[in-house]
Amino acid sequence: MAACGRVPARSRVRGPFLALLLVALGPGRAQPGGAAAGGFAGQAQPPQQAAIQQQRQQQPPPQAPPQPGRGPRLGGGASSSSSGGWKLAEEPACREDVSRVCPKHAWANNLAVLECLQDVREPDNEISSDCNHLLWNYKLNLTADPKFETVAREVCKTTISEIKECADEPMGKGYLVSCLVDHRGNITEYQCHQYITKMTAVIFSDYRLICGFMDDCRNDINLLKCGSVRPGEKDAHSQGEVVACLEKGLVKEAEEREPRIRVSDICKKAILRVAELSSDDFHLDRHLYFACRDDRERFCENTQAGEGRVYKCLFNHKFEESMSEKCRDALTTRQKLIAQDYKVSYSLAKSCKSDLKKYRCNVENLPRSREARLSYLLMCLESAVHRGRQVSSECQGEMLDYRRMLMEDFSLSPEIILGCRTEIEHHCSGLHRKGRTLHCLMKVVRGEKGSLGVNCQQSLQTLIQEADPGADYRIDRALNEACESVIQTACKHIRAGDPMILSCLMEHLYTEKMVEDCEHRLLELQYFISRDWKLDPVLYRKCQGDASRLCHTRGWNETSEMIPPGAVFSCLYRHAYRTEEQGRRLSRECRAEVQRILHQRALDVKLDPALQDKCMIDLGKWCSEKTETGQELECLQDHLDDLVAECRDIVGNLTELESEDIQIEALLMRACEPIIQTFCHEMADNQIDSGDLMECLIQNKHQKEMNEKCAIGVTHFQLVQMKDFRFSYKFKMACKEDVLKLCPNIKKKVDVVICLSTTVRNDTLQDAKEHRVSVKCRKQLRVEELEMTEDIRLEPDLYEACKSDIKNYCQNVPYGNAQIIECLKENKKQLNTRCHQKVFKLQETEMMDPELDYTLMRVCKQMIKRFCPEADAKNMLQCLKQNKNSEVMDPKCKQMITKRQITQNTDYRLNPVLRKACKADIPKFCQSILSKAKDDSELEGQVISCLKLKYADLRLSPDCEDQIRVIIEESALDYRLDPQLQMHCSDEISSLCAEEAAAQEQTGQVEECLKVNLLKIKADMCKKEVLNMLKESKADIFVDPVLHTACALDIKHHCAAIPPGRGRQMSCLMEALEDKRVRLQPECKKRLNDRIEMWSYAAKVAPAEGFSDLAMQVMTSPSKNYILSVISVGICVLFLIGLMCGRITKRVTRELKDRLTKTGAFWE
């Protein structure tokens, strides 16, 4: 569309307006009423004739200007003074304006004068109405004169022969010039190019000079009230405002859901055609040219006109503070036209012409309105790029510019205007520049600022796909400016524009290098990228094959109702963690990308579309106060059992995934970096995690290198794992079949562990030939059992039962390192019944399997390596007890062993070795105690005290006797190991033996103190316990450490051949004491005499409870011989008396029998 054109333009104009060639501007004379004879198209018709021709073309006809002194002659534009041609500069109507506005050297050239006058900067140098009208007629005369075509054929002879479409144009209708204007970009002849350039400038100065435009848009001009200024008024020759008005009407229609005024289709084409033809030189867009003349000089002074360069320069400075609003509005209108038809951008259309054809982005069977849209072009070419196809660098550069343009100004996208009008007014008004409005809308979508409608959200998602900022962060100007400092420091090793820049920024999210503004802009953009897997170019490139094969996806710019974009990533990550046995898996490259995305999404719950969608209600209900980084997901995991079913499934699946690859938890990995590098770097380097890394972190949770954040994160994950055994990947994989077979319908991990552990224990106790639990499961079960002992919260039943007691007695005690459990053990007597029972059960389990005693194993770790490296786990405590008094025993470990011994002696059930050895003795001798006992509550050492007494009576079985002797020996050194003594003599110990009890090392001094102060003890029960100690000491000297120490040398010298036990060595010493030939050590002699006195007193104050006790007292009495002699004499006397009485009785009985015999005979 040019002067009278019909052919679409396909190319561009080069250079500013220059003077026509002299050959085209030869001199000539005007002839009345017509064209110049022998003249050329550069000559003007007289104004009268021009007005007549104009009247034929349009209504209303222009009014004729006042006639000059003589009518304008048709003359050339030559600057030669010898030329007698008609000159604009000499016309009275324009003489003053020409001399005032135009440089003198241009006066002789009509077209130079024309260019000067029509480019006047209003209102600084206003052109008179008469001159305006004269200029209009002159231009109309130029475009209507058929001799213009003659000149064109002469000047452009070679070009016309090369352009077939122009060669075929009929003569005399002006179509040839129009065709050449349309093809001006293909003109190589210098003279022809200059000639057509000048004609283009003339044509585009007024819409009425553009062939067909007036006919196509007459009704729309009236409807939109875009009528031009009538001739005679100022600036009649510059009609760019009419075209601008129509363009705005076209743009406004696209931005209204139900437009009140619609531009006709034929006028739409005409408007876009005009914009397209003026796309190479901004001078041709008269409205924009006048609006932006100052801004062009300010921002683009050194930018050469042509090929759309000035447009692009102005676009780039559109949001500068010093840019005038008038120019900014004109630029925005042109950008909106480009959005409707990419051909309005000369540089884009030219650079991408071959690529559009190559990838069928402008196929003929598609409606022009669709294929011409900038969004369609971008999507089509981006699809080719993402598929790895070759798109020219020039085209990609142009695409980048226009994608950036779309992200900078939301108003260029009609969908945003239509879908988000209300949201923009309510939340984001006044933020038009530099992409701020779009990011404001993104912020609203994330829920940080009101709410967003579905249509607006869909429009934003579409725009993000069109602009594709994931491929190059620089497209998003707001993000680029906010994150520039972070990119320079944290991501400087990555090439500018690389898609991995966004990934790098995500990796540094919530770190010291990240700045707040960048963090917000990044999360706002990632919210949309996370909802369409295609928007992450690296993920798409590495996974498009897998997605097509496994998830049935289509092309980059194609969607499927069966598999929406948001569901594709879910499909990918489900296949990413499949085992080989489970079938189809992702390629290694794709799996790595899926893991990368999962790591990034773990940083913010809003980056997981499914999670946010299904858990919106639960997030508001349970987690509204959790505003810190990563807290929302942790909160959902904490309330897993309270969530609605859909949300629970999503959170459960994500947690199960984390258990296999804990590196998904990016924040946790960041916090645990030191401990990973020190202890777990091998696991972290493995491409396939399979739960090894988390297991390593748990095992090293209490290392000194462990920081608080990492410890809290690891503990939280452990707590979450307790909710479902599936959340422990290694446990799930090792025991899945066993759980289905032995523990069906059990979900909680702690219950599954108990179920399987019980099965293993029962099989072990029953000596089953074949364990029902598989070997691999038993091995992993052991790991889980050990991990659960570290924190009371990992044993939910115990934790719930003891919550109140924890608050009362262990409020300031940390949970880790089993410290709460240890605190409860120490305060066991004050615990509520339920908690007490649970703690007792726990202790019973730990004593049966000391490896489950976390505190013992932690405190004595080195001592176990030293003394018990080959000991069975269940005999670990026994081994430590045997080495307790070693000189190299660690004091802390020794103290912990003593604590466990004290616990064991409170109840025989807490001593598995004793329980087994005395299995028959306990019910035989202590049944009365057992009958009164309650389940899950201590017997306070009563059964052991009972067995001690039987030990003194030498009535126990050998195995039981051995174990009791050990207990007596241990308790003889430390009174705390005798619960009955400690319970009944606590007052006496504090009053009589406080100094001994305060000793750091217990060596039996408290017991010795109580024995020495026996006469001072008033409490009967305490006195009884002390007397029992004295009684026990007679049975074996080893149970009397003070006496044994004092007499050690004497035992070695005099009783070395006497085996210990059953009082044999004690009897040996007593005999040596009575033997005057034997000289004992003074200390031993003194201690033995003290013991004799104590035993004598004990015999007096403690009568025998039975015949066995009486016999024992006699046998152990120092006056044993005397007592035995007396007893023997008494027995002899009784025997003689019985013998005499028996003889007398026998004689009486015989006499009575004889008498009865005689009486019977008489009666017969």
Side-chain angles (χ1 to χ4, degrees):
M1 179 183 295
C4 288
R6 302 173 300 175
V7 184
R10 294 182 176 83
S11 50
R12 54 185 168 182
V13 174
R14 296 184 56 84
F17 292 136
L18 300 173
L20 290 174
L21 298 173
L22 291 176
V23 68
L25 299 175
R29 286 284 177 180
Q31 293 184 2
F40 64 96
Q43 298 170 321
Q45 290 179 330
Q48 297 91 335
Q49 187 172 347
I52 293 171
Q53 287 190 353
Q54 182 182 21
Q55 184 175 7
R56 292 173 184 171
Q57 292 182 3
Q58 62 184 51
Q59 296 296 334
Q63 298 177 358
Q67 290 294 321
R70 64 189 178 105
R73 295 170 298 167
L74 299 178
S79 57
S80 172
S81 59
S82 62
S83 171
W86 175 80
K87 296 182 176 60
L88 277 174
E90 296 175 356
E91 286 298 315
C94 292
R95 186 180 302 150
E96 182 182 351
D97 295 308
V98 171
S99 62
R100 178 168 48 86
V101 175
C102 302
K104 191 171 183 179
H105 64 78
W107 292 358
N109 188 324
N110 286 343
L111 289 180
V113 171
L114 174 63
E115 179 183 0
C116 169
L117 292 177
Q118 73 178 9
D119 289 352
V120 164
R121 189 177 308 173
E122 298 286 359
D124 299 341
N125 295 303
E126 206 170 275
I127 305 300
S128 67
S129 298
D130 291 345
C131 184
N132 272 331
H133 193 51
L134 181 65
L135 292 176
W136 158 254
N137 284 314
Y138 176 67
K139 289 185 292 184
L140 186 61
N141 182 28
L142 287 177
T143 59
D145 192 341
K147 293 192 176 181
F148 243 118
E149 186 175 309
T150 303
V151 174
R153 289 191 177 275
E154 292 178 3
V155 175
C156 302
K157 185 181 300 182
T158 304
T159 300
I160 294 172
S161 64
E162 292 175 352
I163 303 175
K164 186 176 184 299
E165 295 173 0
C166 298
D168 295 340
E169 294 290 357
M171 291 285 292
K173 296 186 178 181
Y175 291 163
L176 176 63
V177 175
S178 174
C179 178
L180 289 172
V181 169
D182 287 346
H183 289 83
R184 63 188 183 277
N186 298 327
I187 297 175
T188 57
E189 288 181 280
Y190 178 76
Q191 296 176 353
C192 180
H193 187 274
Q194 294 297 305
Y195 178 76
I196 296 301
T197 299
K198 280 297 181 183
M199 286 306 302
T200 304
V202 172
I203 291 170
F204 279 89
S205 66
D206 195 310
Y207 77 96
R208 291 172 298 179
L209 301 180
I210 302 173
C211 184
F213 185 85
M214 186 63 188
D215 295 333
D216 292 341
C217 294
R218 186 188 306 277
N219 294 332
D220 300 279
I221 291 172
N222 294 329
L223 189 63
L224 293 169
K225 299 179 180 179
C226 295
S228 65
V229 180
R230 292 289 179 261
E233 299 179 16
K234 69 172 185 175
D235 198 22
H237 71 283
S238 179
Q239 297 293 315
E241 296 297 330
V242 177
V243 178
C245 175
L246 290 171
E247 289 174 345
K248 289 179 180 179
L250 178 61
V251 167
K252 186 177 180 181
E253 178 185 334
E255 295 174 352
E256 292 181 352
R257 202 173 299 278
E258 295 180 1
R260 292 179 292 108
I261 300 175
R262 295 182 180 274
V263 179
S264 65
D265 291 339
I266 190 172
C267 185
K268 283 181 184 178
K269 293 179 181 179
I271 294 170
L272 291 173
R273 184 74 179 127
V274 168
E276 178 185 343
L277 291 173
S278 62
S279 64
D280 57 345
D281 193 335
F282 91 113
H283 292 87
L284 305 184
D285 187 332
R286 304 305 292 171
H287 172 71
L288 187 145
Y289 170 71
F290 282 107
C292 296
R293 286 180 66 177
D294 291 338
D295 299 283
R296 188 267 169 95
E297 293 182 6
R298 186 180 301 115
F299 298 112
C300 310
E301 182 179 5
N302 298 322
T303 303
Q304 185 179 358
E307 297 188 353
R309 285 187 289 264
V310 176
Y311 284 128
K312 290 187 70 174
C313 175
L314 291 172
F315 288 160
N316 291 335
H317 293 86
K318 175 180 168 182
F319 290 115
E320 298 287 344
E321 294 294 333
S322 55
M323 173 70 74
S324 66
E325 287 297 328
K326 187 176 181 181
C327 180
R328 185 178 291 119
D329 290 342
L331 291 172
T332 300
T333 299
R334 185 155 194 95
Q335 287 177 321
K336 290 179 179 180
L337 291 175
I338 294 173
Q340 291 196 33
D341 189 342
Y342 74 90
K343 294 180 181 177
V344 176
S345 170
Y346 179 83
S347 57
L348 179 65
K350 181 187 177 187
S351 299
C352 296
K353 181 178 180 181
S354 60
D355 295 295
L356 290 171
K357 184 177 181 180
K358 181 178 180 181
Y359 299 114
R360 301 177 62 81
C361 297
N362 53 355
V363 290
E364 297 178 357
N365 60 347
L366 290 175
R368 175 178 168 78
S369 60
R370 177 184 172 188
E371 70 163 353
R373 288 183 65 84
L374 177 64
S375 59
Y376 180 81
L377 173 143
L378 293 176
M379 295 274 281
C380 181
L381 292 179
E382 284 167 15
S383 176
V385 172
H386 286 300
R387 293 198 309 270
R389 306 294 173 81
Q390 190 66 36
V391 175
S392 66
S393 58
E394 294 84 359
C395 181
Q396 289 199 48
E398 290 294 325
M399 289 168 60
L400 181 67
D401 290 338
Y402 284 98
R403 283 152 60 192
R404 184 186 293 119
M405 182 184 78
L406 291 175
M407 286 295 294
E408 277 188 353
D409 191 347
F410 76 94
S411 66
L412 305 184
S413 303
E415 298 83 3
I416 298 293
I417 299 294
L418 289 171
C420 302
R421 192 187 305 275
T422 304
E423 287 81 357
I424 292 173
E425 291 175 357
H426 288 174
H427 305 294
C428 307
S429 59
L431 300 174
H432 183 76
R433 300 179 180 182
K434 300 181 181 179
R436 294 172 188 162
T437 303
L438 285 177
H439 271 277
C440 174
L441 291 172
M442 294 178 191
K443 189 174 183 179
V444 176
V445 173
R446 277 176 51 83
E448 299 176 19
K449 186 178 177 182
S451 59
L452 207 65
V454 176
N455 291 337
C456 182
Q457 187 165 342
Q458 290 175 346
S459 299
L460 280 171
Q461 189 74 45
T462 301
L463 175 61
I464 298 297
Q465 186 176 3
E466 293 170 0
D468 196 16
D472 190 335
Y473 71 96
R474 296 172 298 180
I475 292 170
D476 189 341
R477 182 171 178 176
L479 175 70
N480 189 17
E481 292 181 356
C483 297
E484 185 176 3
S485 62
V486 183
I487 294 169
Q488 292 299 322
T489 55
C491 309
K492 58 184 179 182
H493 60 287
I494 304 176
R495 177 180 56 83
D498 193 289
M500 289 307 292
I501 289 283
L502 278 183
S503 185
C504 173
L505 290 173
M506 287 299 295
E507 289 173 6
H508 289 86
L509 195 64
Y510 307 125
T511 65
E512 295 178 355
K513 292 183 178 180
M514 180 59 64
V515 296
E516 184 178 4
D517 198 26
C518 177
E519 176 184 309
H520 293 319
R521 302 295 85 77
L522 180 62
L523 287 174
E524 287 157 9
L525 178 60
Q526 284 288 350
Y527 179 91
F528 288 91
I529 292 178
S530 66
R531 277 150 179 78
D532 189 342
W533 75 292
K534 301 190 298 290
L535 299 183
D536 187 309
V538 181
L539 174 69
Y540 183 80
R541 185 171 69 252
K542 297 291 181 64
C543 293
Q544 57 180 316
D546 296 281
S548 176
R549 175 171 55 91
L550 301 173
C551 309
H552 310 292
T553 58
R554 299 182 181 177
W556 188 85
N557 58 338
E558 298 178 15
T559 58
S560 169
E561 295 181 0
M562 298 295 293
I563 302 289
V568 175
F569 185 76
S570 299
C571 169
L572 288 174
Y573 89 67
R574 280 197 303 272
H575 287 86
Y577 291 90
R578 284 189 172 185
T579 62
E580 293 181 3
E581 293 80 10
Q582 290 175 315
R584 297 178 296 175
R585 299 188 68 185
L586 298 184
S587 63
R588 179 172 296 183
E589 287 185 343
C590 181
R591 190 176 192 273
E593 289 306 310
V594 170
Q595 288 176 323
R596 174 179 66 84
I597 300 300
L598 288 173
H599 296 172
Q600 294 176 4
R601 289 189 176 186
L603 295 170
D604 192 319
V605 69
K606 293 172 184 173
L607 297 182
D608 191 320
L611 184 65
Q612 191 188 26
D613 181 42
K614 302 298 183 184
C615 297
M616 186 64 71
I617 296 175
D618 288 303
L619 282 168
K621 184 176 181 180
W622 305 108
C623 311
S624 58
E625 298 180 359
K626 303 294 184 179
T627 57
E628 295 296 323
T629 305
Q631 284 189 340
E632 288 179 316
L633 179 58
E634 290 183 0
C635 171
L636 292 173
Q637 290 173 331
D638 291 339
H639 292 86
L640 185 66
D641 296 333
D642 303 318
L643 305 179
V644 298
E646 289 183 333
C647 179
R648 185 167 59 247
D649 291 342
I650 292 287
V651 176
N653 291 337
L654 182 58
T655 307
E656 188 175 355
L657 197 61
E658 287 178 349
S659 72
E660 179 178 356
D661 183 8
I662 193 59
Q663 295 188 58
I664 291 173
E665 277 282 7
L667 292 175
L668 177 62
M669 290 299 96
R670 204 175 286 166
C672 295
E673 183 65 24
I675 203 80
I676 291 174
Q677 291 301 322
T678 307
F679 299 100
C680 310
H681 60 91
E682 292 183 0
M683 292 77 170
D685 293 340
N686 290 340
Q687 186 171 7
I688 300 176
D689 183 0
S690 301
D692 294 324
L693 182 56
M694 176 51 73
E695 189 173 282
C696 176
L697 288 173
I698 292 172
Q699 292 171 356
N700 293 280
K701 190 166 71 169
H702 298 289
Q703 297 287 349
K704 62 181 180 180
E705 291 85 356
M706 177 65 72
N707 58 70
E708 184 181 6
K709 284 187 177 180
C710 180
I712 291 173
V714 173
T715 300
H716 175 266
F717 195 77
Q718 287 181 279
L719 295 175
V720 171
Q721 284 182 325
M722 303 311 296
K723 298 177 182 292
D724 195 320
F725 81 96
R726 295 180 300 119
F727 297 165
S728 299
Y729 179 76
K730 298 190 78 172
F731 183 49
K732 175 188 71 175
M733 298 307 294
C735 297
K736 184 164 55 177
E737 296 177 0
D738 300 274
V739 172
L740 292 174
K741 180 174 65 175
L742 301 171
C743 311
N745 304 321
I746 298 180
K747 181 179 179 182
K748 288 187 176 181
K749 178 180 173 181
V750 64
D751 295 333
V752 172
V753 170
I754 292 173
C755 170
L756 294 176
S757 298
T758 303
T759 305
V760 172
R761 186 176 60 203
N762 292 340
D763 289 346
T764 303
L765 293 175
Q766 295 170 9
D767 295 325
K769 293 182 179 179
E770 187 176 343
H771 279 272
R772 287 174 288 174
V773 179
S774 64
V775 175
K776 64 177 182 179
C777 181
R778 291 204 302 272
K779 183 178 179 181
Q780 189 60 36
L781 180 63
R782 190 67 179 169
V783 174
E784 302 299 331
E785 289 176 326
L786 294 175
E787 289 179 0
M788 287 168 59
T789 61
E790 183 268 334
D791 194 320
I792 190 172
R793 293 172 297 180
L794 301 180
E795 300 191 49
D797 291 342
L798 175 63
Y799 180 58
E800 289 298 323
C802 297
K803 262 188 177 179
S804 59
D805 292 308
I806 292 172
K807 185 177 181 181
N808 293 334
Y809 306 113
C810 311
Q811 190 171 6
N812 298 320
V813 179
Y815 280 98
N817 269 337
Q819 293 177 84
I820 291 288
I821 295 176
E822 201 63 25
C823 172
L824 292 174
K825 291 176 182 177
E826 292 172 359
N827 293 276
K828 188 164 59 174
K829 292 182 179 179
Q830 287 78 38
L831 304 180
N832 68 69
T833 304
R834 185 163 171 250
C835 179
H836 190 116
Q837 291 173 348
K838 293 289 184 182
V839 172
F840 178 80
K841 274 293 184 187
L842 175 65
Q843 289 179 315
E844 187 176 3
T845 303
E846 290 177 347
M847 293 304 176
M848 291 179 66
D849 190 350
E851 197 175 19
L852 298 179
D853 188 338
Y854 184 88
T855 306
L856 175 70
M857 300 305 292
R858 178 178 60 85
V859 173
C860 296
K861 184 177 182 179
Q862 297 303 321
M863 295 300 101
I864 291 172
K865 290 181 179 179
R866 178 186 288 270
F867 296 110
C868 314
E870 298 180 359
D872 183 73
K874 296 186 178 180
N875 297 323
M876 200 68 71
L877 180 57
Q878 195 70 15
C879 173
L880 289 171
K881 282 158 58 174
Q882 292 169 0
N883 294 278
K884 172 184 171 184
N885 296 315
S886 170
E887 293 180 357
V888 294
M889 175 59 72
D890 178 61
K892 291 183 178 179
C893 179
K894 184 174 183 178
Q895 185 180 4
M896 184 55 59
I897 295 169
T898 301
K899 280 187 176 182
R900 296 301 179 257
Q901 288 179 295
I902 293 171
T903 300
Q904 281 191 325
N905 290 349
T906 59
D907 197 304
Y908 77 98
R909 290 170 293 183
L910 300 180
N911 190 333
V913 179
L914 175 68
R915 188 175 184 178
K916 182 177 180 181
C918 300
K919 186 176 181 180
D921 299 86
I922 292 173
K924 180 178 179 181
F925 300 113
C926 311
Q927 186 60 46
S928 59
I929 299 172
L930 295 178
S931 60
K932 298 176 184 178
K934 296 180 180 179
D935 291 339
D936 304 330
S937 61
E938 289 89 344
L939 297 173
E940 299 298 342
Q942 295 179 63
V943 171
I944 294 178
S945 293
C946 167
L947 293 174
K948 285 180 180 180
L949 291 174
K950 303 308 173 186
Y951 171 80
D953 294 344
L954 308 176
R955 299 173 63 184
L956 298 178
S957 63
D959 290 341
C960 185
E961 184 178 301
D962 291 341
Q963 291 302 316
I964 290 297
R965 182 174 64 253
V966 172
I967 291 174
I968 294 174
E969 290 174 5
E970 292 170 347
S971 58
L973 288 170
D974 192 339
Y975 75 98
R976 296 171 298 175
L977 300 184
D978 190 336
Q980 288 289 304
L981 177 68
Q982 193 175 10
M983 182 172 62
H984 296 308
C985 297
S986 57
D987 294 338
E988 286 75 6
I989 291 172
S990 58
S991 59
L992 300 174
C993 310
E995 186 176 346
E996 291 82 355
Q1000 188 173 3
E1001 187 76 19
Q1002 291 295 322
T1003 58
Q1005 296 302 318
V1006 173
E1007 289 86 342
E1008 187 67 16
C1009 171
L1010 290 173
K1011 293 173 184 176
V1012 171
N1013 292 282
L1014 180 59
L1015 297 175
K1016 297 179 182 180
I1017 296 175
K1018 305 299 182 184
D1020 293 337
M1021 294 303 294
C1022 180
K1023 187 179 292 184
K1024 181 180 178 182
E1025 289 300 320
V1026 177
L1027 291 172
N1028 286 339
M1029 281 197 300
L1030 289 170
K1031 182 179 178 181
E1032 293 161 8
S1033 66
K1034 290 181 181 181
D1036 200 326
I1037 193 171
F1038 285 99
V1039 302
D1040 192 335
V1042 176
L1043 180 61
H1044 183 264
T1045 303
C1047 298
L1049 286 174
D1050 296 299
I1051 293 173
K1052 185 177 181 180
H1053 291 156
H1054 307 296
C1055 308
I1058 307 297
R1062 295 187 173 271
R1064 288 185 287 264
Q1065 289 187 341
M1066 182 66 76
S1067 298
C1068 173
L1069 286 175
M1070 295 302 294
E1071 291 175 2
L1073 180 62
E1074 293 177 2
D1075 191 343
K1076 295 179 180 181
R1077 295 172 299 175
V1078 178
R1079 293 191 61 180
L1080 299 176
Q1081 295 291 325
E1083 183 66 20
C1084 178
K1085 189 174 182 179
K1086 179 180 179 298
R1087 292 293 180 184
L1088 282 172
N1089 286 325
D1090 290 342
R1091 293 297 184 269
I1092 291 171
E1093 290 179 9
M1094 290 178 188
W1095 291 333
S1096 298
Y1097 177 75
K1100 293 177 183 178
V1101 300
E1105 296 180 358
F1107 182 77
S1108 59
D1109 285 344
L1110 179 62
M1112 181 56 67
Q1113 287 184 9
V1114 170
M1115 295 302 295
T1116 58
S1117 174
S1119 305
K1120 176 178 67 174
N1121 295 335
Y1122 173 75
I1123 295 172
L1124 290 175
S1125 300
V1126 172
I1127 292 174
S1128 299
V1129 171
I1131 291 173
C1132 291
V1133 171
L1134 288 174
F1135 177 74
L1136 291 173
I1137 294 172
L1139 184 60
M1140 291 176 63
C1141 293
R1143 293 177 67 86
I1144 295 170
T1145 304
K1146 184 176 181 182
R1147 187 178 62 185
V1148 173
T1149 303
R1150 184 179 294 169
E1151 291 177 353
L1152 181 60
K1153 185 177 179 182
D1154 292 342
R1155 190 181 300 163
L1156 289 173
T1157 302
K1158 291 179 181 180
T1159 305
F1162 173 77
W1163 286 104
E1164 291 177 358

